[in-house]
Amino acid sequence: MKKPVNHIKIAMDGPAGSGKSTVAQKVAEKLGLLYLDSGAMYRAVTVLAIENGVETNIPELIKLVKNCHIEFSENGKSIFLNSEDISTQIRTPEVNTLVADIAKIQQIRIEIVRHQRRIGEEGSIIAEGRDLTTIVFPDADYKFYLDASVKERAKRRYEELQSQNVNTTLEFVEEAIRTRDEKDTTREHSPLRTSQDAIRVDTTGKTIDEVVDYIISKVSTENYQHRTEKKD
Ligand code: DC
């Protein structure tokens, strides 16, 4: 008898620089899944705060978030805020510095999580961030927690910034990562932590492809519908 076709949901968490965005994008490509970069949504809210000068006016920012429109295109590679392409703006040093403080606000998390769950209903998905395995999709079919040493994560971020001609030092990047780790793991609402049932993957010294292959080896898609397939 033919088994019913379902959607597959893969949730992945980890600290900054653990490789989860690149890995999740590649897994999405290989398995034909929707890719959700949840950090990009908190970054979009940070851009919204900066553009409207309400970084410290939280009630006003919450109002703006409730009425804003965030959407992705090119399967998560581009992000639009109220129809404006902000894919570059979300990666500026200013946003990097501010985003953890914006992401710790509970009412903002409630709005963003609601939006993420709606996206999750669109079809088979791989979603990555800090609270995907614990809060957003606790019912995910597969859960992964990616990690790497602080030194390795700083090195990766530094090399990425160098390739974008951003003038910085390895020491500065490492310190920024430590600060963000501290904020992300100690905040009151939805702190970064490992879900009991997540598979832990230490990516230190591993290539992206090695991690991608490992994850795919753990995932069985036999009875799931890929987003590129037509529904009956
Ligand atoms: O993954 P990233 O570096 O783009 O995330 C940016 C910030 O957003 C990070 O400091 C933590 C926050 N974030 C969050 O609180 N919850 C998520 N699910 C994803 C990111």
Side-chain angles (χ1 to χ4, degrees):
M1 196 176 78
K2 209 173 167 224
K3 286 191 186 163
V5 174
N6 295 307
H7 289 148
I8 190 171
K9 203 174 268 168
I10 305 175
M12 187 183 283
D13 286 322
S18 55
K20 56 188 192 313
S21 306
T22 317
V23 166
Q25 270 179 51
K26 287 209 165 194
V27 172
E29 260 167 42
K30 289 199 170 186
L31 299 183
L33 311 174
L34 186 67
Y35 163 60
L36 174 63
D37 173 356
S38 69
M41 298 179 82
Y42 292 100
R43 287 171 179 273
V45 172
T46 308
V47 170
L48 184 71
I50 296 168
E51 280 187 349
N52 290 278
V54 294
E55 298 94 318
T56 52
N57 185 346
I58 307 309
E60 205 47 47
L61 177 58
I62 291 164
K63 266 195 231 160
L64 287 172
V65 170
K66 286 191 175 180
N67 293 304
C68 79
H69 192 69
I70 298 173
E71 62 182 345
F72 291 96
S73 76
E74 296 175 87
N75 203 17
K77 289 193 188 81
S78 305
I79 184 163
F80 291 77
L81 172 65
N82 298 329
S83 306
E84 182 196 354
D85 186 345
I86 55 160
S87 313
T88 312
Q89 274 144 280
I90 62 166
R91 307 283 164 200
T92 60
E94 190 184 9
V95 172
N96 286 346
T97 308
L98 194 58
V99 63
D101 288 321
I102 298 287
K104 72 179 183 199
I105 303 165
Q106 189 183 22
Q107 291 96 321
I108 286 177
R109 301 200 70 83
I110 290 170
E111 293 301 320
I112 296 297
V113 168
R114 194 177 290 149
H115 195 147
Q116 290 164 352
R117 290 191 180 137
R118 269 201 305 269
I119 294 174
E121 283 165 15
E122 287 173 18
S124 290
I125 187 168
I126 178 163
E128 52 91 1
R130 305 295 192 287
D131 61 346
L132 277 299
T133 60
T134 54
I135 306 285
V136 185
F137 298 132
D139 59 336
D141 302 288
Y142 295 95
K143 297 183 183 182
F144 296 94
Y145 187 93
L146 264 57
D147 209 351
S149 67
V150 174
K151 292 241 173 274
E152 169 116 1
R153 291 189 285 123
K155 191 170 144 273
R156 288 176 190 166
R157 267 292 143 89
Y158 176 67
E159 284 168 0
E160 192 183 317
L161 290 168
Q162 280 213 311
S163 72
Q164 295 160 0
N165 293 321
V166 177
N167 189 17
T168 187
T169 64
L170 182 58
E171 291 70 31
F172 180 83
V173 174
E174 185 176 326
E175 193 45 42
I177 283 200
R178 282 187 198 278
T179 307
R180 203 130 67 85
D181 280 358
E182 172 74 17
K183 286 184 182 171
D184 291 344
T185 53
T186 58
R187 69 181 177 215
E188 187 184 352
H189 306 293
S190 314
L192 170 65
R193 58 194 159 81
T194 322
S195 168
Q196 291 281 329
D197 50 356
I199 300 174
R200 263 192 99 92
V201 187
D202 185 349
T203 68
T204 311
K206 292 197 179 74
T207 66
I208 294 290
D209 285 338
E210 280 170 342
V211 180
V212 168
D213 289 346
Y214 175 75
I215 285 173
I216 289 177
S217 76
K218 295 284 175 196
V219 173
S220 162
T221 55
E222 203 182 328
N223 299 313
Y224 293 99
Q225 182 173 47
H226 293 202
R227 71 187 272 274
T228 41
E229 286 172 12
K230 278 210 185 99
K231 287 183 190 146
D232 293 331

